[in-house]
Amino acid sequence: MKEQLNGIRVKAQEELSTVGSISELENIRVKFLGKKGELTSVLRGMGALTAEDRPVIGQLANEVRSFIEGKLEEAKKELMKKEIGLKLEKEVIDVTMPGKRKMLGKKHPLSNVIDEINEVFIGMGYEIAEGPEVEKDYYNFEALNMPENHPAKDVQDTFYISENIILRTQTSPVQIRVMENKKPPIKIICPGRVYRSDAVDATHSPIFHQVEGLVVDKGVTMGDLIGTLKVFAKSLFGEKTDIRLRPHHFPFTEPSAEVDVSCWTCGGSGCRVCKGEGWIEILGAGMVHPKVLEKCGIDPSVYSGFAFGLGVERTAMGRFNIDDLRLLYENDVRFLKQF
Amino acid sequence: MKAPIKWLKDYVNINVSPKEFSDAMTMSGSKVEGIEVQGEEITKVVVGKILSLEKHPDADKLQVCQVDVGNEVIQIVTGAQNINVGDFIPAALVGATLAQGKKISKGKLRGIESSGMMCSIEELGLEKEDYPDAPDDGIYILGKEYPLGLDIKEVLGLNDTTVEFEITSNRPDCLSIIGLAREAAATLKTEFIRPTVSIKEEGDEAQKYASVEIKDPELCPRYAARIVKDVKIETSPKWLRDRLKAAGVRPINNIVDITNYVMLEYGQPMHAFDLRDIEGEKIIVRRALDGEGIKTLDDIDRKLDSSMLVIADEKRAVAVAGVMGAANSEVREDTKNILFESANFNGTSVRLTAKKLGLRTEASGRFEKGLDVQNVVSALDRAVQLVEQLNAGTVCKGIIDCFAKKDEERILKFNTDNINKLLGTQVSTEEMIDIFKSLEIDVDADNFTVKIPSFRKDLEREADLAEEVARFYGYNNIEATLLAGKASSMGKKTYKQKIEDIIKNTMISCGLSEVYTYSFTSPKVLDKIRLPEDSELRKTVVIQNPLGEDFSIMRTTTIPEMLQVISTNYNRRIEEVNLFETSFVYLPKDIKELPVEKPVLTLGMYGKVDFYTLKGVVEELLLKLGITNYSFSPQKDNPTFHPGRTAVININDKYAGIIGEIHPEVTDEFECPERTYLGVIEIEKLIEFSKMEAEYKSLPKFPAVTRDIAMLVKDEIMVKEIEDILLQRGGKILEEIKLFDVYKGKQVPEGMKSVAYSITFRASDKTLTDEDVNKVMAKILNGLKTNIGAELR
């Protein structure tokens, strides 16, 4: 019987060493350990053993059983590993195929620029003010120190709705509306759409956008204006950007300046983008004209302020290297998707 | 304003390079637009001497010359016939450029090598008029001997540089050489050389020949005239023509040239009348009669009205004041005696007259900015001084000067502290005074007052003086500071602005790209979208002076522009387009009031999309804005849209927008795809009903029970009707309903559809039993059957 048991152990080990699948493994289990299996049938013969042999054989039989069980488990693990491996091998996919995307839309480049500017100034404590596009000429001209028959009214080529209602030619009327309704301190920017009767070409559009800024308080200086514009230019065009102010004339500011930023392409050494100048004009600015403050009921001997304005289209065209303004209003999806 | 540097140097010492000069002027406020170097395009043309001439062996009309150009002798083959051995000529070397960019290269003419070219005056970009010794045809033979190899530009006197300035409208004084010289002196901190003029006045009394009467002193504060007898009309000398040309003015004859020269130098427009045409020997400055006619110098008959000022004699108008003279009194070849006019006219009046006549001239452009009354006589003196200098006639004694309305002298106070406070600087009083003096502003240092010169009308108050200080202190020397402590505030967006941001961002995350379209449009587009004749949207804000009919009304609807964008993309064969725009529509109120500017969100799409794609985007947006009480109901009678595929959106039972498929007749008009989807939503409603605060509800503790039902209903039953019944009958324990199938076809009778829902029930306080759910389901089924005749499948 002892030989029989040892024989079963050897045989089981042999068979297990060549097993190829989980189902074969089950067959082996049944064959050796099943109710009608070899080990069971050997154990059935235990009754014929002597009382002395019985525990010895019993122990051996248990050893054989647990040996086979252990081997079975081992083989099973091995096989499962193999099977997973095979399965994974079959499941290879082409990871270079395109992803399933939920396509996002794009913000218009003009919105991009306006948002960026808004963000810079909100960070500096400004609020965003708004005003009507169809505006009284008083707010667009007279309140801004351009009285009746002022040549600027011609220069700015105004669209008229009626004798004294126009399409605003600048966002500056919003300044007036704010100053009329709010006591200083005032710290606002006003982005918005403006109109001038320019025929459409690569650099002109009868409709375009401006962002206007206004600060009024006690003791506001031209130095503050320069400092503010420096921060702004660096935020919008990069840390290395410098600005330069040139004296200019606007009816609603005194002193007035045109503001250049160092060229974003060459950094100031001169290139095609800045036409070799190293500087690009982007802003008009100045100290709010005392007459403008007076018209809004603000005493210029107590308060002072600065204002600035820039063209959004021009800035966007510079930032994104867009060579034709018409692209911005044509809305070709292939253009819009680039921003 | 083009200013030749040589001319400026009559009044200021400029001892820096043109580039340095330009940069300095730009930074002090006279912006330089460009620098033009005379003869810039002419290079590598030198003085050469013809050593020998031989006939070309193979061409009768060509000659082979040996030309000494200083450091070498070159061979030139030429067709010119007017040359001789020993002549000094302009020789263009290999690599030279001539007028119009013509380049000289080595070549062969009929087999003989030619290494250069001899030049005519035209080939050097010059005019025969300026070089009378040049032949009508052929090489320009230099009259004298010059060092061989010398740059021809030195020989021809081409060495001036002209600087073009952009002059702002407040500084008409800088539209003159003298004004710019004054600015240049202040900029370069050098001396301004004041003009001095001395006149011999060899004729008899001017008063004998004419008198002046101003009828309207408001429009003409001053009118001065001088008489010149026995004029000889001829070509001006070269130096004068050179200066005019450099300044961009075409020389005509000595008298006209003098008026132009003085206008450029002094900034005072002038006019010359033929004295024999001034009837009654009297100049009368008066308003035109309504309907009065005049033929101006450009030979056009013009009708005037009483808002316009004319210069007249006793019988007729002889000039439109400040704009243009009349043909009837023009200086001609045989003119004997002339009257020089130098006057001051009201700027606004000149501007409006020029505008009405459609005749903007150099003179009117200057007058309209407001000129200096005091300059009238100095300019006139300069003109007659030039007459004497040019020997163009005999100047009569005295000026006929009618000074009808004198300028008030302007004295301003200034306070150093105020100016520094405005600028953020610490400029000393002495520095400020120096700056004022350099600008010819008289300073009373004891009283801190300045006397503003008559040519600086732009200086009205202290802020204007502050600008002068800043300009010459240097804008960029002002220390950059930040608003420390001043106007400190917290920056933020308003609730409305935040919602607008959310709207845009949600559109973008739904795959829609943003467009910008024009807010004015053509009235015709309202027909193209089939708007009814009596539609409110046909009442528009009309632009009186539009760029054209296509841009003549402010839009009352954004649909046409969105369709236009869709059409543009569709015509460019783009397959899939999803777009949105946030913009205004302009709804007129009373004519005297501003219109309402209503913000709208416009959506447009075509491609692999349908009505439900568009609706999904809107639902996503409503969800994002916390708007729950909304409904979509069919809209059959909007003529722009498909009658069966359009819905009106209501929020809290108020109209908030429309979405749908565009009517085929409209898509046809706009050349849009057959299936084009469009929506317009009122942003104000979204803001009004948005609810952005979220509140946590505890997660369910008890399990849910789900029942699926499928029913047959008539085709025209909308799922909204089914859902209303489900919600109403479902009671408190109904948690969610989900439509999971709508089917028409096999096994479903004609005119019917099968609709399937998954209904979820849950109680918050216990686990639901079958019985609980069955009770509610019975109610639901009963409702479906009795209300809409649904049959359970």
Side-chain angles (χ1 to χ4, degrees):
Chain A
M1 220 167 177
K2 204 174 176 179
E3 287 76 48
Q4 261 183 309
L5 284 171
N6 282 332
I8 288 172
R9 184 209 295 250
V10 172
K11 204 169 149 201
Q13 192 169 5
E14 255 169 38
E15 283 188 27
L16 279 171
S17 67
T18 59
V19 74
S21 71
I22 300 265
S23 56
E24 261 178 68
L25 200 70
E26 181 60 15
N27 290 343
I28 293 172
R29 194 187 64 79
V30 173
K31 186 175 171 192
F32 291 99
L33 303 181
K35 278 182 188 160
K36 290 175 186 166
E38 289 184 23
L39 187 67
T40 321
S41 51
V42 171
L43 288 178
R44 273 202 198 107
M46 288 268 282
L49 293 178
T50 61
E52 266 168 46
D53 284 345
R54 207 175 284 156
V56 179
I57 295 297
Q59 199 189 339
L60 181 63
N62 280 337
E63 273 174 31
V64 171
R65 171 183 288 273
S66 62
F67 173 79
I68 294 174
E69 277 173 353
K71 285 288 171 194
L72 272 170
E73 195 52 38
E74 236 172 64
K76 194 177 170 187
K77 271 192 189 155
E78 200 58 37
L79 280 174
M80 280 182 53
K81 228 190 207 171
K82 227 192 235 167
E83 262 175 37
I84 288 173
L86 278 175
K87 181 173 174 257
L88 295 184
E89 225 168 86
K90 278 186 205 152
E91 288 176 353
V92 169
I93 57 162
D94 180 354
V95 297
T96 64
M97 295 219 312
K100 288 175 193 163
R101 285 167 58 199
K102 190 176 175 206
M103 297 293 262
L104 294 179
K106 290 292 176 86
K107 209 173 252 185
H108 194 278
L110 294 177
S111 287
N112 273 323
V113 170
I114 292 173
D115 285 356
E116 250 182 274
I117 295 171
N118 285 348
E119 201 180 308
V120 173
F121 283 103
I122 284 175
M124 290 197 270
Y126 289 65
E127 287 178 12
I128 301 172
E130 288 155 271
E133 293 170 15
V134 184
E135 181 59 287
K136 294 193 171 139
D137 70 342
Y138 172 81
Y139 286 103
N140 197 79
F141 295 118
E142 212 179 315
L144 289 159
N145 194 26
M146 283 181 267
E148 182 106 21
N149 290 323
H150 194 280
K153 285 177 108 166
D154 276 358
V155 174
Q156 297 199 345
D157 297 323
T158 315
F159 286 119
Y160 279 85
I161 301 300
S162 67
E163 201 187 323
N164 39 33
I165 297 179
I166 53 142
L167 300 184
R168 67 176 178 194
T169 61
Q170 47 193 353
T171 40
S172 311
V174 184
Q175 281 186 25
I176 305 300
R177 288 179 173 272
V178 170
M179 285 193 279
E180 277 184 350
N181 291 307
K182 195 173 179 269
K183 291 252 160 313
I186 292 168
K187 217 172 159 188
I188 52 154
I189 52 165
C190 12
R193 183 170 274 214
V194 301
Y195 302 80
R196 286 184 200 175
S197 62
D198 279 327
V200 181
D201 66 23
T203 53
H204 293 89
S205 167
I207 292 182
F208 58 102
H209 296 78
Q210 287 185 334
V211 178
E212 183 101 357
L214 172 74
V215 173
V216 181
D217 199 1
K218 290 176 184 162
V220 175
T221 71
M222 193 158 167
D224 294 333
L225 167 66
I226 297 173
T228 301
L229 293 179
K230 271 200 172 147
V231 171
F232 166 67
K234 284 180 196 297
S235 313
L236 202 63
F237 297 107
E239 199 45 44
K240 283 187 186 146
T241 308
D242 202 3
I243 62 164
R244 168 178 99 161
L245 279 78
R246 284 179 285 101
H248 195 69
H249 170 68
F250 302 112
F252 35 91
T253 49
E254 189 75 30
S256 303
E258 277 185 333
V259 184
D260 302 332
V261 296
S262 52
C263 176
W264 43 73
T265 302
C266 65
S269 55
C271 68
R272 197 182 56 85
V273 172
C274 58
K275 294 182 187 103
E277 294 277 316
W279 296 96
I280 297 173
E281 181 199 327
I282 61 153
L283 276 153
M287 302 306 291
V288 182
H289 200 291
K291 282 188 195 167
V292 173
L293 292 174
E294 278 164 4
K295 275 210 193 291
C296 297
I298 295 175
D299 183 352
S301 67
V302 178
Y303 293 100
S304 58
F306 63 72
F308 56 87
L310 86 163
V312 177
E313 274 76 0
R314 206 188 168 114
T315 310
M317 289 174 78
R319 283 287 303 277
F320 303 121
N321 220 355
I322 298 168
D323 54 3
D324 192 328
L325 199 154
R326 285 168 289 204
L327 287 166
L328 292 166
Y329 290 95
E330 196 178 69
N331 301 299
D332 187 313
V333 170
R334 293 165 299 180
F335 171 79
L336 298 175
K337 291 277 182 198
Q338 294 180 26
F339 303 96
Chain B
M1 168 82 196
K2 283 181 164 185
I5 285 187
K6 271 191 189 166
W7 198 345
L8 284 171
K9 279 182 170 171
D10 286 356
Y11 299 102
V12 62
N13 285 318
I14 299 171
N15 42 24
V16 291
S17 74
K19 172 86 176 90
E20 284 170 276
F21 173 65
S22 301
D23 287 349
M25 290 297 278
T26 293
M27 296 314 289
S28 71
S30 308
K31 188 183 177 190
V32 172
E33 298 267 88
I35 303 174
E36 214 175 274
V37 180
Q38 207 181 11
E40 197 173 21
E41 77 270 28
I42 310 292
T43 61
K44 291 188 84 172
V45 182
V46 299
V47 175
K49 184 182 178 188
I50 299 174
L51 299 180
S52 68
L53 277 174
E54 278 169 45
K55 272 199 66 121
H56 190 295
D58 297 320
D60 287 348
K61 288 189 174 156
L62 296 181
Q63 301 189 77
V64 183
C65 324
Q66 301 303 321
V67 180
D68 186 348
V69 291
N71 51 358
E72 60 176 329
V73 174
I74 58 172
Q75 176 170 297
I76 297 176
V77 180
T78 176
Q81 299 300 321
N82 68 327
I83 44 173
N84 293 299
V85 172
D87 281 348
F88 282 74
I89 45 86
L93 307 175
V94 170
T97 46
L98 304 180
Q100 272 110 41
K102 182 175 177 179
K103 286 211 169 357
I104 302 301
S105 52
K106 209 174 200 153
K108 279 185 176 172
L109 274 86
R110 293 272 177 113
I112 303 283
E113 201 163 275
S114 180
S115 309
M117 194 178 106
M118 290 182 261
C119 306
S120 69
I121 204 77
E122 288 86 359
E123 283 161 335
L124 294 170
L126 303 171
E127 283 166 26
K128 211 157 292 167
E129 217 183 7
D130 295 327
Y131 297 88
D133 53 336
D136 282 343
D137 189 23
I139 305 303
Y140 180 36
I141 315 289
L142 305 176
K144 287 193 290 188
E145 291 191 9
Y146 292 96
L148 296 178
L150 182 70
D151 191 328
I152 200 73
K153 284 188 272 187
E154 289 194 32
V155 176
L156 301 174
L158 299 180
N159 51 10
D160 201 3
T161 299
T162 300
V163 180
E164 185 166 9
F165 293 95
E166 179 202 323
I167 303 300
T168 53
S169 62
N170 62 327
R171 292 299 303 274
D173 62 304
C174 286
L175 288 170
S176 69
I177 297 294
I178 288 175
L180 283 169
R182 195 183 290 118
E183 280 287 315
T187 302
L188 302 173
K189 308 218 181 315
T190 170
E191 205 187 330
F192 169 58
I193 307 159
R194 283 183 191 76
T196 48
V197 165
S198 62
I199 319 157
K200 296 199 268 294
E201 294 185 314
E202 288 166 337
D204 47 359
E205 297 294 323
Q207 252 81 355
K208 276 170 42 188
Y209 296 92
S211 64
V212 173
E213 183 190 352
I214 297 174
K215 294 248 193 213
D216 196 325
E218 276 309 313
L219 299 192
C220 176
R222 189 174 197 180
Y223 193 105
R226 269 185 178 272
I227 306 294
V228 176
K229 285 190 356 185
D230 305 323
V231 295
K232 286 173 285 200
I233 305 291
E234 53 191 20
T235 307
S236 301
K238 182 168 178 302
W239 68 265
L240 196 149
R241 291 203 318 271
D242 278 351
R243 284 192 169 184
L244 288 181
K245 278 193 279 187
V249 175
R250 192 168 53 91
I252 293 167
N253 61 45
N254 50 359
I255 298 301
V256 176
D257 291 353
I258 285 171
T259 62
N260 283 329
Y261 188 91
V262 173
M263 176 173 73
L264 293 170
E265 191 172 62
Y266 279 67
Q268 170 67 46
M270 303 191 72
H271 187 65
F273 295 100
D274 188 323
L275 194 56
R276 70 188 149 167
D277 296 324
I278 305 295
E279 303 239 6
E281 285 151 5
K282 188 166 185 191
I283 292 283
I284 302 165
V285 187
R286 60 161 169 89
R287 283 173 184 261
L289 307 169
D290 281 319
E292 187 172 357
I294 191 169
K295 182 190 259 185
T296 41
L297 281 174
D298 53 5
D299 247 8
I300 295 173
D301 285 307
R302 298 173 189 274
K303 279 263 169 294
L304 308 177
D305 66 48
S306 60
S307 73
M308 303 171 178
L309 193 72
V310 293
I311 311 303
D313 58 22
E314 285 191 328
K315 293 207 167 126
R316 57 192 182 159
V318 292
V320 183
V323 181
M324 194 180 266
N328 58 22
S329 50
E330 189 180 0
V331 174
R332 301 177 290 270
E333 285 296 313
D334 62 346
T335 296
K336 272 265 171 349
N337 302 328
I338 57 170
L339 181 146
F340 270 121
E341 163 197 295
S342 178
N344 189 274
F345 301 114
N346 176 292
T348 304
S349 155
V350 171
R351 190 173 67 88
L352 295 177
T353 300
K355 201 172 154 191
K356 263 192 203 167
L357 295 177
L359 182 64
R360 280 204 77 209
T361 58
E362 178 73 33
S364 77
R366 287 164 179 272
F367 278 120
E368 69 178 37
K369 294 183 178 75
L371 295 181
D372 175 13
V373 188
Q374 302 303 336
N375 204 18
V376 164
V377 169
S378 343
L380 194 53
D381 286 347
R382 173 63 164 158
V384 294
Q385 183 262 314
L386 283 168
V387 169
E388 289 179 350
Q389 186 181 338
L390 266 50
N391 231 345
T394 311
V395 177
C396 288
K397 278 192 186 62
I399 297 183
I400 309 155
D401 181 9
C402 191
F403 202 167
K405 187 172 171 263
K406 294 213 160 62
D407 249 14
E408 271 174 45
E409 199 170 69
R410 186 179 289 154
I411 308 281
L412 293 184
K413 274 194 161 318
F414 75 97
N415 177 316
T416 315
D417 287 345
N418 285 351
I419 290 176
N420 278 321
K421 234 179 97 184
L422 184 67
L423 300 178
T425 50
Q426 283 105 36
V427 183
S428 69
T429 307
E430 291 68 39
E431 278 177 89
M432 287 191 193
I433 290 173
D434 282 348
I435 289 170
F436 296 146
K437 283 184 174 165
S438 75
L439 291 165
E440 304 275 289
I441 299 171
D442 284 338
V443 182
D444 178 347
D446 298 330
N447 295 310
F448 288 93
T449 59
V450 289
K451 194 171 110 195
I452 305 303
S454 57
F455 53 82
R456 288 301 304 273
K457 288 209 175 59
D458 60 307
L459 302 180
E460 292 180 335
R461 50 199 294 171
E462 202 171 58
D464 300 315
L465 296 176
E467 181 174 79
E468 300 307 293
V469 170
R471 285 204 299 136
F472 295 100
Y473 175 76
Y475 274 23
N476 299 293
N477 294 327
I478 297 173
E479 194 195 343
T481 48
L482 281 173
L483 294 156
K486 290 166 251 171
S488 62
S489 57
M490 192 180 66
K492 62 171 195 298
K493 289 192 178 176
T494 60
Y495 181 75
K496 174 178 154 281
Q497 289 159 354
K498 280 183 200 158
I499 297 292
E500 285 166 351
D501 283 356
I502 293 172
I503 292 172
K504 281 194 182 193
N505 291 332
T506 307
M507 289 302 111
I508 286 162
S509 55
C510 286
L512 277 62
S513 289
E514 189 183 15
V515 300
Y516 270 56
T517 61
Y518 278 1
S519 29
F520 42 52
T521 189
S522 160
K524 285 190 192 127
V525 300
L526 300 177
D527 296 329
K528 285 171 82 177
I529 61 165
R530 305 173 80 230
L531 210 61
E533 282 305 320
D534 58 351
S535 168
E536 274 293 300
L537 298 184
R538 286 191 183 266
K539 289 183 193 151
T540 58
V541 175
V542 181
I543 299 167
Q544 302 299 322
N545 55 335
L547 285 179
E549 207 211 354
D550 285 353
F551 307 113
S552 63
I553 57 164
M554 297 303 285
R555 62 181 172 188
T556 52
T557 162
T558 52
I559 293 174
E561 278 71 41
M562 183 55 88
L563 289 175
Q564 192 50 57
V565 172
I566 285 178
S567 169
T568 302
N569 282 285
Y570 182 60
N571 283 317
R572 292 176 184 181
R573 313 208 175 281
I574 291 158
E575 287 172 5
E576 178 106 29
V577 163
N578 301 291
L579 303 169
F580 79 97
E581 176 173 31
T582 59
S583 55
F584 293 107
V585 291
Y586 307 82
L587 309 173
K589 291 207 285 197
D590 187 276
I591 182 84
K592 284 194 175 132
E593 263 186 275
L594 298 181
V596 173
E597 296 180 15
K598 192 162 84 168
V600 291
L601 167 67
T602 314
L603 305 95
M605 47 177 72
Y606 71 81
K608 282 180 245 128
V609 292
D610 58 18
F611 174 85
Y612 299 106
T613 317
L614 179 60
K615 184 177 174 185
V617 170
V618 176
E619 286 173 322
E620 197 71 53
L621 176 64
L622 295 170
L623 185 73
K624 184 86 196 169
L625 295 173
I627 298 171
T628 47
N629 188 13
Y630 63 82
S631 66
F632 290 83
S633 8
Q635 165 78 307
K636 294 192 193 320
D637 50 7
N638 186 313
T640 308
F641 289 90
H642 189 306
R645 295 183 170 188
T646 299
V648 155
I649 309 160
N650 284 297
I651 303 176
N652 286 13
D653 294 325
K654 282 189 189 159
Y655 175 85
I658 185 168
I659 59 167
E661 189 175 305
I662 292 295
H663 195 284
E665 282 181 27
V666 178
T667 55
D668 229 39
E669 276 286 349
F670 283 89
E671 293 177 49
C672 285
E674 194 192 342
R675 305 287 180 203
T676 295
Y677 298 90
L678 208 129
V680 181
I681 299 171
E682 300 191 352
I683 292 178
E684 280 165 353
K685 294 283 162 39
L686 296 178
I687 294 168
E688 183 183 347
F689 297 115
S690 63
K691 203 173 151 242
M692 297 312 289
E693 312 84 46
E695 198 188 330
Y696 160 75
K697 273 192 218 122
S698 58
L699 300 176
K701 290 193 183 68
F702 297 95
V705 177
T706 302
R707 296 282 169 89
D708 290 352
I709 57 166
M711 68 197 98
L712 281 178
V713 293
K714 280 191 198 136
D715 225 357
E716 64 266 23
I717 299 286
M718 305 237 159
V719 295
K720 172 88 174 25
E721 296 171 61
I722 301 172
E723 288 172 6
D724 283 347
I725 295 168
L726 296 179
L727 292 172
Q728 184 218 326
R729 302 254 167 161
K732 267 207 325 222
I733 61 167
L734 183 110
E735 186 178 72
E736 195 189 8
I737 53 171
K738 217 186 262 167
L739 175 72
F740 69 87
D741 189 40
V742 178
Y743 175 74
K744 280 190 266 189
K746 265 187 205 165
Q747 286 154 13
V748 174
E750 266 297 301
M752 304 287 275
K753 62 185 172 189
S754 162
V755 182
Y757 276 94
S758 174
I759 309 172
T760 307
F761 299 96
R762 193 197 302 267
S764 59
D765 53 351
K766 64 169 195 170
T767 302
L768 289 172
T769 61
D770 264 1
E771 213 177 308
D772 294 333
V773 175
N774 289 345
K775 247 200 273 175
V776 177
M777 280 302 289
K779 266 196 192 163
I780 288 176
L781 297 177
N782 188 32
L784 290 171
K785 188 161 197 165
T786 50
N787 291 0
I788 56 169
E791 265 176 64
L792 212 61
R793 291 186 81 198

